[in-house]
Amino acid sequence: MNSLFTMLAQSKPTFWLPKPVSNFAGPVDGDFYFVYWVSMFFLVLITALLVYFMWKFRTPPGAHAQSQTDHHLMLEVVWTVIPLILSLMMFWYGYRGYVAMQTAPSDGISIIAEAQKWAWNFSYASNGAVIPGMSDDFNDVREKVRSGEFTADEAAAAEDKILEKAGLHVPMGVPIDITVMAADVLHAFYIPAFRVKKDCVPGRTGKVWFIANEAGIYDLYCAEYCGQGHSKMHTKVVVHETVEEYEKWLEIAGSYDETLPFDQNGAIVWKRRGCISCHSVDGSKKVGPSWKDMFGSMRKFTAIGRPGELVADEAYIEDSIRYPMNRIADGYPPQMPVVKLTEKEILWVIEYIKSLGQNSGGAQNPRKEN
Amino acid sequence: MSGDAHPNESKQQAGHDEDHAGGHGDGHGHSPYQAHHFDTMKQQFEAGKLGMWLFLATEVLLFGGLFCFYVVTKSNNPELFKWGHHFLDKRWGATNTMVLLFSSLTMALAVREAQLGRKNRILFFLGLTFLCGGAFMGIKYVEYSKKFHEGLFPGQYFVYGNVIDSEEARVHQQEEDLLAHADLDLPVASVVITDPKTRGLVLQPGLPPSGLSSSAREIEHGDESSGEHEAIDGGDTPGLAIAPSHLPPGPRPANAHIFFSIYFCLTGLHGIHVLIGMAVMVWLAVLAWQGRFGPGYFTPVDLGGLYWHLVDLIWIYLFPLLYLVE
Amino acid sequence: MSQPPMDAQSDPQGLAPPVSAPVEATGPSYLTVTKTISSWAFTLDHKRIGVMYLIGVLLMFLLGGLIAMLIRTELFSPLALITPLFADTVEAQADMYNKWFTTHGAIMVFLVIIPGVPAALGNFVLPLLLGAKDVAFPKLNLGSFYLWVTGAVFFLYVLLTGGLDTGWTFYTPYSAESGTAVIPALMGVFILGFSSIFTGLNFIVTIHKMRPPGMTWFKMPLFLWATYATAVMQVLATPVIGITVLLLILERTLGIGIFDPRNGGDPVLFQHFFWFYSHPAVYIMIVPPMGIVSELIAVHSHKRIFGYTYIAFSSVAIAIFSFLVWGHHMFTSGQSTTMNIIFSGITFSVGLPSAIKIFNWIATMYKGAISLNTAMLYGISFIFLFTIGGLTGLFLAVLTIDTHLHDTYFVVAHFHYVMMGSGLIAFIGGLHHWWPKMTGKMFSEYWGRIACGLVFVGFNLTFIPQFVMGSLGMPRRYYTYADKFEGYHQLSTMGSYVMAVGFFLIAYYLIQSLVSGKKAPPNPWGGNSLEWHTTSPPPLLNFDEVPVATDPYDYENLEYDPATGNYETTKVG
Ligand code: HEA
Ligand code: HEA
Ligand code: CUA
Ligand SMILES: [Cu+2]
């Protein structure tokens, strides 16, 4: 029976469901259409009866009912037992499919998807590369399409360009084993085309696995409300035709070009690792303080309930990145997540911040903290 | 809640009772304590009693949430309780249990006297119950203030700084030192970390942090002290005002403050209930003083008694769960 | 179990209605007996308290609805459309939207739909249905009302001090760090919880202890069964939300380490606490409306309710099951697989009592004498909309499908169908049904039917597109969205405008009826439960003569008098 509905569930997008591209999409869509047709049956039945009775038995005020029959045991049994059986079937299909979703094969490609406000980072176990989601770049493209600056083709090209070094990339036909995590608040890892979703819970890990069965580019959303940037926290999944193609991509994308000057790499880190969503480089205030002219300036903050001030030197910045909760800059919420940057990335960011204008105003002042 | 049974409170309705006096058709005269919308005193009494039981059910559920907090934490982190209960004084806890048990007895006696309408005895037993409640709160005050002195506050105010805990003392000492020499080129920023082991967010249980290599770090600063306290010797612990009450065996578990959060939540909510109970005693005593109670009408005392027994019962659970837990 | 008497001719229980002359007002009604403001503010009369609740709830509905209109207007396009009117930076605009849907959801849930039927309509009719003079604890009742007002004030305070952006679910750790007025909102929820508890407690005691002689459990009108089942849920579930919000307040202020991982707590534990209350709460929202619908369908079909015992027991069954399924909101949250499976299984059990009710209502209409009054139209709309809402609940209960649909617009559409399309529609239906009794005035049936149609059409137009875009993958709580969803959002927004017109029309003709409505007869629809045996509006103590319990679903002894528009009781059984 269910397989019938699985067959009905096509490999094309339907009116109800997006294009099914993973091993789970078939079964999930099958379940969906099973419940859908059961529901349609009851909905049509009930609506038909309602409309018919409404029309057939309508009377002016004062009329008496044709009958006062008020119970019928057989009917009650029928309309309890049929839904009961159907419910059990629904439960059973859901249960079966769900258990399959929970048991990942052990030979898959492991990727860690870490969510933070409001960016994704994907760490590939095979070479340790951390690839960002680059939500902001995708948002820019979207804005440009809407404002008419980009045509559809230009937009596609721009997205391809971004995806060279961003997004979640997986090969086709191989089990992909994803560990989801969160750095700050709840997020959820959601790929509609694959029919998978998992909450990213800070302090815990979650597992998602799937086999993508068609090459292409698909949406990846954050599906759990996580504050201001929630609706912009999306990126793309790229399914490569072959494992080789995927590995080639990973090779290139995973590395920084270490020959570049430090500050240029710092700018890449700023974009890649999501600092961009909270820190501007032009002096405007976002969620966090702007990095423009920050270096060397006097920072006022609160540390464990006590006010303090320090000059923003290398050490200060490094600690702000590693332990963001320890010093909360005055005028800003304690919202900066712990983003695990590598040593080099930290170094580059510091150089980048330096390159954004240095401020020597505070440098002479003795440090004080009380 | 039981107040509905009381006539004075329905002033508004009193006026309408006049034009309605004959409406009841039950022939005999009303007790002055019967509210207008009840047909008989019996109905009124039963309604009050059922209402009280339901209210107690909601109270149990209110505490139920806290007990869940307890159970979940206990099953996930049993070591918290092993460590924490050493700070609670079983002798005080046991005394308080006896005090409350005794007060339940006096309360029951007060109800009995109310049914018999013996005014002085009602007052006597209510007074005794009140005193027990007061003694209980007094003992809790002693216990609480000790905790507070030792810095055993709930949650983020948990400082625990006045107890000899070498680890803690070292951190403090180190902080002072570094602040004093802040313009040395030490990575000063790191000193303010309270204690990354207990307060920080553990991000990747079981997983190595992605690509963190310590070698790169050495190039930058030539020193490894960020987040590590061992590097600097804190020396002796200065200025401990209070001698530590207990030295729990074993190391302090991570997030030790949660034990005290639970302790203060549970005993705090319970303490509030004791205070409310004492207020009810006063109110009942006033009514008793006015000679309201007798065989025909003793609902308030009865319901107050139920409430008091519940408060007592909850403590009976709290005592072993917090003080005697292993 | 016993069926209510089937045969009106032989009347072993002596339940036949007394012969009565047309009920004439002999004294002033509860509305006019005293006139000062304080006689309302300090009244202990359940009817006045009910009316005050009603006004409050409708005002809050207006407020929540206006915010919904802001949401819908903003979503008309993926670009920032109206948020720029309220905030200049992109960030502030997103925050603004987040505050809108949070306050919309919180107001609608905590201030409108939970107190709506039990506290507003229930307060008014429950003692009347019982033939009692009042609820068991009138002062507690007034206290509940003022707790509600206090809770509402807290929410208004939240709105005026910049809003709340956590989502109505207050999920940690975001709610532990959000910079908005979370604590006042939580205080509001706490206080409203106690208001709800005391209402429930009052109703349980009233139903247990104050039924008139002759009214056994199985002779109670079904609305009483529904409020009873609801009251049990209110008393047993609400304390848990009370302690939950207290703990969250403590987490925010002291960092006690229960819900926030930064302090060693567990965010999933918060979700368990929250849904342990909030799932029963969704049945607190739907069971009383179901009770209303049982009355509407029977009265306006002039036919004995079909399957009385089954409907009564299904309310109780829903109340019991409702405590066992909360985990279905957390299928993707990372709770264990076993728990997910158990919760999914139990969730389906709630579908059966709901199915039983639906089919029994339809069977009641069969061979009835259906008057297509406004109230009846709402009853019928309810059945249709609840069928959709309930059946889409089944999609969500299936583990695999929910993995895909969780936190998408499919869920949004599901709960609007059940809360607004069912709960609120039945509330409005009940309002029309009892309006003559409450106010003594008849409203315009003509405009009533038109408005009902507008609301019905607008509602479906608003939320059907949301089902589609949800299953296509549009996540909820999104301020801006992928362009491919734009068409659906535009349909939805247009639908919501139609619906808003409908609601304003309702408000208009109801208010107008107060001024120039025809005087209502005691029994305009031909009901036989006790509230129709007193004047419209009833006197202060409800009945001029002590009422004798009637069989609430016996309509055979009623004759319509076209001259007065009244149904009169004609013969002795
Ligand atoms: C009035 C409120 C109300 C009601 C009555 C219901 C009723 C039901 N709900 Fe709903 N629900 C909500 C309000 C409500 N819900 C809210 C507010 C949310 C989201 C909250 C949030 O996240 O913000 C939600 C979310 C929600 C989820 C979680 C979705 C998610 O977030 O992923 C689930 C999952 O199981 C669910 C299931 C159900 C089911 C099975 C019913 C059942 O009770 C329905 C029973 C009815 C029927 C089944 C129809 C009648 C029967 C027939 C016509 C016969 C045929 C029947 C069969 C074959 C069985 N609901
Ligand atoms: C009872 C509950 C209830 C009701 C009635 C409504 C009513 C409406 N809701 Fe809402 N809604 C929720 C409960 C409810 N909602 C909840 C719980 C959420 C989730 C929040 C969250 O995610 O945290 C939500 C979220 C929500 C969203 C999703 C936001 C998002 O995820 O980004 C949307 C979007 O379209 C929406 C739209 C609407 C609309 C258009 C109406 C319309 O039906 C409103 C129409 C009403 C009016 C226009 C007012 C007219 C009133 C009068 C004129 C006065 C009345 C007087 C008389 C009738 C006499 N709601
Ligand atoms: Cu991240 Cu929503
Ligand atoms: Cu639910």
Side-chain angles (χ1 to χ4, degrees):
Chain A
M1 179 78 160
N2 194 37
S3 59
L4 174 76
F5 288 98
T6 314
M7 268 160 53
L8 277 177
Q10 305 167 10
S11 58
K12 296 199 296 280
T14 60
F15 179 68
W16 288 101
L17 292 164
K19 187 170 177 180
V21 260
S22 80
N23 58 326
F24 297 128
V28 172
D29 293 5
D31 297 349
F32 183 94
Y33 279 106
F34 174 65
V35 183
Y36 178 78
W37 287 114
V38 171
S39 300
M40 272 301 169
F41 169 77
F42 281 105
L43 181 60
V44 169
L45 177 80
I46 288 168
T47 314
L49 290 175
L50 274 179
V51 173
Y52 178 67
F53 290 173
M54 210 170 119
W55 174 74
K56 170 89 185 174
F57 301 115
R58 71 187 196 286
T59 51
H64 281 260
Q66 298 169 25
S67 144
Q68 290 289 351
T69 325
D70 70 353
H71 69 285
H72 191 294
L73 185 62
M74 210 43 222
L75 272 178
E76 302 284 350
V77 172
V78 168
W79 64 50
T80 311
V81 170
I82 294 181
L84 174 68
I85 295 171
L86 290 169
S87 306
L88 287 175
M89 288 171 72
M90 290 176 195
F91 166 69
W92 175 248
Y93 292 141
Y95 160 73
R96 242 184 13 186
Y98 185 71
V99 170
M101 284 178 162
Q102 296 316 105
T103 35
S106 54
D107 57 345
I109 292 180
S110 301
I111 300 172
I112 298 171
E114 186 170 347
Q116 76 188 52
K117 282 181 191 161
W118 291 280
W120 292 98
N121 284 305
F122 305 103
S123 327
Y124 292 78
S126 61
N127 69 351
V130 181
I131 312 281
M134 292 297 211
S135 306
D136 285 278
D137 286 8
F138 288 112
N139 286 324
D140 279 350
V141 174
R142 209 151 80 170
E143 293 294 316
K144 286 193 174 134
V145 175
R146 283 176 197 148
S147 64
E149 206 173 312
F150 272 3
T151 64
D153 288 342
E154 279 167 340
E159 291 197 342
D160 284 348
K161 182 86 180 56
I162 302 169
L163 285 171
E164 280 172 15
K165 289 219 163 203
L168 174 62
H169 289 246
V170 298
M172 205 172 95
V174 181
I176 313 293
D177 194 349
I178 295 193
T179 306
V180 297
M181 304 193 305
D184 36 34
V185 297
L186 297 175
H187 302 269
F189 175 91
Y190 178 34
I191 308 176
F194 296 174
R195 318 282 193 266
V196 293
K197 182 179 290 120
K198 192 83 196 177
D199 286 12
C200 312
V201 184
R204 286 194 183 195
T205 58
K207 285 276 183 198
V208 179
W209 81 278
F210 55 82
I211 304 174
N213 48 27
E214 205 177 309
I217 301 175
Y218 309 99
D219 288 315
L220 190 162
Y221 295 112
C222 174
E224 183 66 65
Y225 176 64
C226 52
Q228 189 206 86
H230 169 56
S231 54
K232 293 188 169 169
M233 193 176 151
H234 59 89
T235 176
K236 304 270 175 185
V237 192
V238 181
V239 179
H240 293 269
E241 291 274 359
T242 60
V243 179
E244 292 71 44
E245 198 186 303
Y246 156 77
E247 279 171 349
K248 205 171 95 217
W249 170 85
L250 186 58
E251 184 91 4
I252 302 170
S255 52
Y256 285 91
D257 180 354
E258 305 215 359
T259 61
L260 287 179
F262 282 8
D263 55 340
Q264 284 192 25
N265 266 330
I268 297 176
V269 174
W270 171 66
K271 279 193 174 182
R272 271 202 183 176
R273 304 302 303 269
C275 319
I276 185 175
S277 51
C278 302
H279 296 284
S280 77
V281 290
D282 58 3
S284 62
K285 182 176 169 179
K286 293 172 101 178
V287 177
S290 172
W291 286 356
K292 187 166 166 55
D293 294 332
M294 171 197 270
F295 192 85
S297 67
M298 190 55 104
R299 313 305 293 175
K300 288 196 167 42
F301 55 81
T302 309
I304 16 177
R306 294 182 298 181
E309 40 178 63
L310 283 173
V311 173
D313 55 8
E314 286 90 347
Y316 177 84
I317 294 178
E318 168 166 5
D319 282 307
S320 297
I321 297 171
R322 286 180 189 271
Y323 308 103
M325 284 325 207
N326 285 334
R327 294 202 168 121
I328 307 303
D330 285 356
Y332 295 91
Q335 289 214 355
M336 162 136 174
V338 181
V339 185
K340 290 247 170 60
L341 299 188
T342 63
E343 297 299 322
K344 280 184 185 155
E345 282 172 327
I346 293 180
L347 180 59
W348 292 332
V349 165
I350 293 173
E351 289 304 319
Y352 179 50
I353 294 180
K354 277 187 189 164
S355 78
L356 291 168
Q358 300 205 16
N359 188 328
S360 55
Q364 277 79 33
N365 296 351
R367 286 159 177 269
K368 63 171 188 282
E369 192 168 357
N370 35 31
Chain B
M1 91 163 338
S2 51
D4 284 308
H6 193 269
N8 274 359
E9 328 267 333
S10 38
K11 290 193 189 81
Q12 232 254 317
Q13 297 290 355
H16 312 305
D17 268 356
E18 284 154 26
D19 43 61
H20 182 64
H24 278 291
D26 44 10
H28 46 267
H30 283 163
S31 155
Y33 302 115
Q34 183 177 329
H36 77 286
H37 57 289
F38 286 111
D39 293 334
T40 60
M41 277 307 276
K42 180 161 171 289
Q43 187 189 29
Q44 173 170 334
F45 174 72
E46 286 178 351
K49 193 123 180 171
L50 179 61
M52 194 64 197
W53 277 110
L54 287 168
F55 178 70
L56 295 186
T58 69
E59 290 279 35
V60 169
L61 282 155
L62 199 69
F63 277 96
L66 289 179
F67 282 116
C68 281
F69 181 14
Y70 177 95
V71 170
V72 171
T73 315
K74 178 112 194 292
S75 62
N76 291 342
N77 309 81
E79 73 282 358
L80 277 181
F81 291 79
K82 284 214 180 77
W83 182 82
H85 87 279
H86 285 280
F87 290 90
L88 307 184
D89 193 328
K90 287 173 201 52
R91 287 161 305 179
W92 279 134
T95 315
N96 257 348
T97 313
M98 298 320 292
V99 169
L100 275 195
L101 277 176
F102 179 69
S103 76
S104 255
L105 175 70
T106 55
M107 189 68 223
L109 288 171
V111 175
R112 196 183 115 82
E113 296 305 332
Q115 284 166 344
L116 298 175
R118 294 193 284 211
K119 179 172 154 185
N120 287 341
R121 292 193 185 204
I122 309 177
L123 283 173
F124 173 72
F125 284 120
L126 282 177
L128 217 51
T129 318
F130 181 88
L131 286 181
C132 286
F136 178 90
M137 290 312 288
I139 292 178
K140 275 253 92 63
Y141 173 78
V142 172
E143 290 190 81
Y144 270 28
S145 43
K146 187 152 195 183
K147 303 277 165 316
F148 292 160
H149 276 296
E150 296 181 354
L152 298 168
F153 292 100
Q156 71 198 25
Y157 296 100
F158 180 78
V159 281
Y160 186 48
N162 290 333
V163 180
I164 292 181
D165 173 355
S166 51
E167 173 203 22
E168 195 77 16
R170 216 168 31 237
V171 175
H172 272 260
Q173 184 58 41
Q174 178 198 22
E175 186 178 331
E176 310 283 77
D177 281 357
L178 286 175
L179 290 179
H181 315 288
D183 42 6
L184 299 183
D185 70 341
L186 288 164
V188 187
S190 58
V191 289
V192 200
I193 299 157
T194 47
D195 181 355
K197 274 198 292 261
T198 59
R199 308 286 304 179
L201 180 59
V202 184
L203 266 181
Q204 304 191 347
L207 284 159
S210 48
L212 254 189
S213 79
S214 52
S215 54
R217 205 186 143 71
E218 256 146 34
I219 309 167
E220 252 302 284
H221 290 304
D223 129 11
E224 264 290 351
S225 65
S226 176
E228 303 280 329
H229 305 300
E230 282 80 355
I232 303 158
D233 188 3
D236 289 330
T237 326
L240 285 185
I242 297 174
S245 54
H246 303 275
L247 278 177
R252 176 150 63 94
N255 286 318
H257 70 101
I258 298 182
F259 177 82
F260 293 94
S261 302
I262 292 180
Y263 171 78
F264 283 111
C265 284
L266 275 168
T267 55
L269 188 65
H270 179 260
I272 292 174
H273 279 77
V274 174
L275 287 178
I276 296 174
M278 288 166 68
V280 171
M281 297 303 148
V282 174
W283 175 65
L284 290 176
V286 172
L287 294 189
W289 180 258
Q290 297 167 349
R292 302 256 177 138
F293 302 129
Y297 179 68
F298 54 89
T299 320
V301 193
D302 204 41
L303 302 188
L306 279 179
Y307 177 81
W308 190 255
H309 294 319
L310 177 88
V311 172
D312 187 15
L313 187 75
I314 288 174
W315 179 258
I316 304 285
Y317 281 96
L318 287 187
F319 173 56
L321 284 178
L322 291 170
Y323 288 75
L324 305 180
V325 63
E326 267 306 329
Chain C
M1 284 304 291
S2 67
Q3 284 283 322
M6 275 190 58
D7 183 353
Q9 245 72 46
S10 68
D11 186 18
Q13 284 89 355
L15 279 180
V19 193
S20 63
V23 199
E24 289 288 328
T26 49
S29 79
Y30 81 99
L31 290 170
T32 50
V33 63
T34 45
K35 295 214 166 64
T36 57
I37 293 197
S38 67
S39 76
W40 278 85
F42 300 112
T43 182
L44 296 180
D45 178 37
H46 68 98
K47 297 182 292 303
R48 286 188 165 190
I49 295 176
V51 168
M52 292 194 295
Y53 258 123
L54 184 69
I55 295 169
V57 164
L58 288 177
L59 284 178
M60 284 300 145
F61 175 56
L62 175 62
L63 182 62
L66 292 178
I67 303 176
M69 290 300 120
L70 290 176
I71 297 180
R72 281 299 353 145
T73 310
E74 176 56 45
L75 290 178
F76 189 77
S77 147
L79 302 169
L81 211 59
I82 54 168
T83 43
L85 301 178
F86 302 88
D88 349 304
T89 64
V90 184
E91 287 81 17
Q93 287 162 13
D95 278 336
M96 185 55 68
Y97 178 83
N98 294 344
K99 288 173 183 167
W100 285 348
F101 73 69
T102 303
T103 42
H104 161 70
I107 288 176
M108 286 297 196
V109 168
F110 296 115
L111 285 164
V112 176
I113 200 82
I114 290 182
V117 177
L121 293 179
N123 245 323
F124 187 89
V125 290
L126 183 126
L128 285 169
L129 286 173
L130 286 168
K133 294 194 201 79
D134 210 323
V135 293
F137 309 116
K139 262 174 293 141
L140 187 65
N141 202 15
L142 185 67
S144 304
F145 173 68
Y146 280 110
L147 283 176
W148 183 89
V149 173
T150 317
V153 168
F154 268 94
F155 271 96
L156 291 177
Y157 170 82
V158 168
L159 277 182
L160 294 178
T161 54
L164 172 75
D165 74 343
T166 59
W168 82 279
T169 47
F170 294 104
Y171 273 11
T172 52
Y174 188 71
S175 58
E177 67 171 51
S178 161
T180 52
V182 179
I183 291 181
L186 291 171
M187 297 293 294
V189 172
F190 184 80
I191 291 165
L192 290 170
F194 273 89
S195 163
S196 175
I197 291 177
F198 291 143
T199 303
L201 191 152
N202 224 331
F203 286 1
I204 296 183
V205 176
T206 310
I207 293 176
H208 264 280
K209 299 294 175 198
M210 301 183 74
R211 275 173 289 127
M215 189 187 280
T216 60
W217 283 93
F218 288 95
K219 288 177 188 118
M220 295 195 313
L222 285 165
F223 183 63
L224 291 182
W225 271 101
T227 31
Y228 183 75
T230 311
V232 171
M233 290 188 275
Q234 284 175 305
V235 169
L236 294 185
T238 320
V240 179
I241 193 76
I243 197 71
T244 308
V245 301
L246 282 187
L247 285 169
L248 183 50
I249 291 175
L250 290 177
E251 183 72 291
R252 261 185 88 93
T253 50
L254 303 180
I256 56 170
I258 171 167
F259 298 136
D260 187 344
R262 266 185 291 259
N263 302 324
D266 180 357
V268 179
L269 182 64
F270 176 81
Q271 300 178 20
H272 280 292
F273 271 63
F274 182 82
W275 291 114
F276 182 83
Y277 164 73
S278 293
H279 184 82
V282 310
Y283 295 104
I284 294 175
M285 302 170 201
I286 199 69
V287 173
M290 286 168 156
I292 291 184
V293 171
S294 302
E295 303 296 322
L296 293 186
I297 299 286
V299 169
H300 295 274
S301 301
H302 303 283
K303 183 166 165 249
R304 183 169 277 288
I305 188 90
F306 197 88
Y308 175 96
T309 348
Y310 300 95
I311 299 186
F313 272 115
S314 63
S315 293
V316 179
I318 291 180
I320 295 171
F321 292 140
S322 74
F323 284 98
L324 307 174
V325 306
W326 77 89
H328 67 207
H329 297 270
M330 303 163 58
F331 285 158
T332 69
S333 73
Q335 73 180 343
S336 77
T337 310
T338 330
M339 265 159 88
N340 278 341
I341 292 167
I342 294 171
F343 279 125
S344 165
I346 307 177
T347 297
F348 286 98
S349 63
V350 198
L352 304 177
S354 311
I356 290 171
K357 283 184 194 255
I358 290 197
F359 291 119
N360 278 306
W361 290 325
I362 294 180
T364 305
M365 286 168 69
Y366 177 65
K367 291 203 173 168
I370 299 177
S371 320
L372 290 178
N373 295 321
T374 310
M376 181 66 175
L377 291 180
Y378 280 107
I380 294 170
S381 309
F382 173 96
I383 300 182
F384 176 78
L385 299 174
F386 179 68
T387 304
I388 298 185
L391 289 169
T392 50
L394 298 178
F395 286 75
L396 299 172
V398 178
L399 285 165
T400 43
I401 310 178
D402 186 66
T403 305
H404 176 53
L405 295 180
H406 172 70
D407 267 339
T408 63
Y409 262 79
F410 194 94
V411 178
V412 175
H414 158 69
F415 67 68
H416 280 94
Y417 262 86
V418 276
M419 295 206 287
M420 142 119 242
S422 317
L424 206 101
I425 289 289
F427 173 63
I428 303 283
L431 182 65
H432 284 82
H433 185 68
W434 284 304
W435 186 260
K437 188 55 63 185
M438 298 173 100
T439 64
K441 294 294 167 68
M442 300 300 285
F443 54 85
S444 155
E445 281 291 334
Y446 175 77
W447 287 112
R449 288 176 202 165
I450 289 181
C452 177
L454 281 175
V455 170
F456 181 83
V457 171
F459 177 82
N460 285 295
L461 187 56
T462 311
F463 292 106
I464 284 181
Q466 297 193 2
F467 279 125
V468 183
M469 64 176 141
S471 60
L472 287 174
M474 163 86 207
R476 64 191 276 208
R477 296 169 169 173
Y478 264 30
Y479 156 63
T480 166
Y481 48 85
D483 295 346
K484 61 184 170 200
F485 299 118
E486 191 167 2
Y488 301 107
H489 274 297
Q490 290 180 346
L491 277 179
S492 179
T493 302
M494 290 184 305
S496 70
Y497 291 157
V498 177
M499 183 169 30
V501 172
F503 278 119
F504 278 104
L505 187 57
I506 300 175
Y508 172 73
Y509 70 71
L510 285 183
I511 292 171
Q512 200 222 5
S513 81
L514 293 179
V515 185
S516 57
K518 266 201 333 222
K519 200 176 155 345
N523 189 357
W525 317 123
N528 198 27
S529 39
L530 284 175
E531 83 271 33
W532 305 113
H533 289 266
T534 183
T535 51
S536 304
L540 183 67
L541 292 169
N542 292 348
F543 297 92
D544 288 325
E545 288 149 47
V546 186
V548 180
T550 52
D551 173 358
Y553 296 110
D554 177 11
Y555 303 110
E556 288 299 278
N557 298 321
L558 294 165
E559 283 308 334
Y560 184 65
D561 177 357
T564 55
N566 189 30
Y567 282 81
E568 274 150 30
T569 312
T570 51
K571 58 178 189 263
V572 204

